[in-house]
Amino acid sequence: MNPIAFNLFGLPIRWYGILISSGMVIGILLASYNCRIKHISYDRMMDLILIALPAAIVGARLYYVLFNLDYYSSNLGEIINIRQGGLAIHGGVLFALIAAYIYARKSNLEFIKYADAAAPSIILAQAIGRWGNFFNQEAHGGEVTKEFISRFPGFIQNGMFIEGTYYHPTFLYESVWNLAVFAVLMVIIKKTSKNGLTFFTYIGLYSVGRFIIEGLRTDSLMMGPIRVAQLVSLSGIVIWLVYLFFAFFRKKRDVV
């Protein structure tokens, strides 16, 4: 598996960067459509994106570095080298949301409406970006048999054959799950005007899939014996359930 797509003036351009960038561009284009559904300004959404994207990249890298301090403390020059991977989605989303929220508050924007419009774009970009892990032969799961991997297309089999061993294509599992979540979010944003439902459902459903899939991976960021992504995912699921309780169940009970 060649992680380099082509060379530009002697500089290798990697599939990882192409796919991450493609996901961002497609997500930005999709946001234009969802802004119309939510009756909000796409120009202001672009302002939020220009604030959130740099914050997301910094946050994704910082999150990854913090949980790999043993390596990066001895290799400081590698901290800014993101061309070969090393971006943690949880850190990226967290930093992007904080930056966007602060900007929205200062600009008197209804943050939750913009978060709803952005949520389908974020999960779609994640689905596309996971294929960058495939070309880097990272974010895979544990060993599997040739019989198991033979159920997948040939190029997946070849990509998951690393140093003589086949591995779970967990990047594929998450990409497919994210596409399914994307479809659900597009239905929700079209069918309901309830602010927050699309955004919090994104947090909840993504977290469900990530929690399960993370258990198969071999490269998880760890906090002692705990997989950090699973811990964060549990928090995301709780946040989603709390939102649903206050948005629907408690309201119904108060009416009764």
Side-chain angles (χ1 to χ4, degrees):
M1 179 63 62
N2 187 357
I4 299 174
F6 58 89
N7 289 280
L8 183 63
F9 304 116
L11 179 68
I13 306 300
R14 302 176 70 93
W15 283 110
Y16 183 84
I18 292 173
L19 288 159
I20 294 291
S21 301
S22 298
M24 291 179 178
V25 171
I26 293 171
I28 290 171
L29 294 175
L30 174 65
S32 173
Y33 174 75
N34 286 331
C35 282
R36 292 196 295 272
I37 293 176
K38 296 295 293 185
H39 304 293
I40 55 178
S41 168
Y42 182 58
D43 289 338
R44 301 314 298 267
M45 174 64 87
M46 286 302 301
D47 292 340
L48 284 167
I49 290 171
L50 290 174
I51 296 294
L53 271 183
I57 294 171
V58 171
R61 186 57 171 174
L62 180 60
Y63 189 98
Y64 184 84
V65 169
L66 286 175
F67 287 101
N68 289 278
L69 274 180
D70 288 345
Y71 172 77
Y72 288 105
S73 60
S74 302
N75 298 273
L76 296 178
E78 288 295 305
I79 291 177
I80 60 173
N81 180 17
I82 62 174
R83 296 177 63 248
Q84 299 185 47
L87 297 174
I89 186 63
H90 282 133
V93 171
L94 178 61
F95 272 60
L97 287 176
I98 292 172
Y101 178 77
I102 292 172
Y103 179 82
R105 284 293 300 270
K106 289 185 176 181
S107 303
N108 294 318
L109 300 177
E110 290 186 78
F111 170 77
I112 197 62
K113 285 188 175 182
Y114 285 88
D116 279 341
S121 295
I122 296 171
I123 197 70
L124 181 59
Q126 289 176 241
I128 296 169
R130 273 301 173 201
W131 285 88
N133 298 133
F134 172 65
F135 283 96
N136 276 357
Q137 293 188 309
E138 62 184 5
H140 57 71
E143 297 182 16
V144 296
T145 64
K146 185 175 182 179
E147 180 184 2
F148 177 86
I149 203 70
S150 66
R151 298 181 176 91
F152 296 88
F155 73 98
I156 298 290
Q157 297 178 42
N158 294 334
M160 290 294 97
F161 188 65
I162 305 170
E163 297 180 354
T165 303
Y166 290 106
Y167 291 93
H168 266 296
T170 48
F171 81 92
L172 176 63
Y173 304 160
E174 187 169 332
S175 182
V176 171
W177 176 260
N178 289 348
L179 285 174
V181 175
F182 165 72
V184 171
L185 297 185
M186 289 303 297
V187 170
I188 291 174
I189 199 170
K190 290 178 181 179
K191 297 296 184 179
T192 181
S193 60
K194 181 174 282 293
N195 292 332
L197 183 58
T198 306
F199 172 67
F200 283 103
T201 300
Y202 155 66
I203 291 177
L205 290 183
Y206 171 69
S207 296
V208 169
R210 181 61 185 272
F211 180 87
I212 296 169
I213 296 167
E214 190 69 22
L216 299 173
R217 286 177 55 170
T218 59
D219 62 345
S220 298
L221 300 178
M222 304 296 291
M223 184 185 296
I226 301 172
R227 296 175 188 262
V228 176
Q230 287 189 318
L231 183 62
V232 175
S233 294
L234 279 177
S235 301
I237 294 169
V238 170
I239 290 170
W240 178 44
L241 294 176
V242 169
Y243 165 80
L244 292 177
F245 174 76
F246 281 99
F248 294 99
F249 301 111
R250 185 171 181 179
K251 183 178 180 180
K252 287 182 179 179
R253 190 175 66 178
D254 288 345
V255 170
V256 174

